[in-house]
Amino acid sequence: MTTPYKVGDRVTWNSEAGHVSGRITKVHRSDFDWKGYTHHASAHDPQYEIKSDKTDHVAVHKGSALRRKSD
């Protein structure tokens, strides 16, 4: 298990376009629907909604795909 993140944490992740950074806006601890797909999450393996720093794009990732970003 990865270190849990919380709303407001700044993180970075790798996307097709390269490394992206943003701020966590929501933590999902149970299954949820997102853009027509069911994403699986639990208290032990949450998924995070992150708003990009450079655009209004919101992404959803598991904690294992994220790295804490220092300011």
Side-chain angles (χ1 to χ4, degrees), residues 7 11 13 15-16 20-28 32-37 39 47-62 66:
V7 171
V11 294
W13 67 97
S15 76
E16 301 89 26
V20 181
S21 62
R23 190 171 302 275
I24 293 176
T25 59
K26 189 169 185 178
V27 179
H28 294 274
F32 64 102
D33 290 329
W34 176 262
K35 297 186 178 182
Y37 296 94
H39 290 259
Q47 289 208 30
Y48 302 91
E49 284 185 37
I50 311 120
K51 184 174 180 184
S52 170
D53 287 337
K54 293 186 178 180
T55 68
D56 286 335
H57 180 76
V58 176
V60 174
H61 292 291
K62 288 190 171 199
L66 304 174

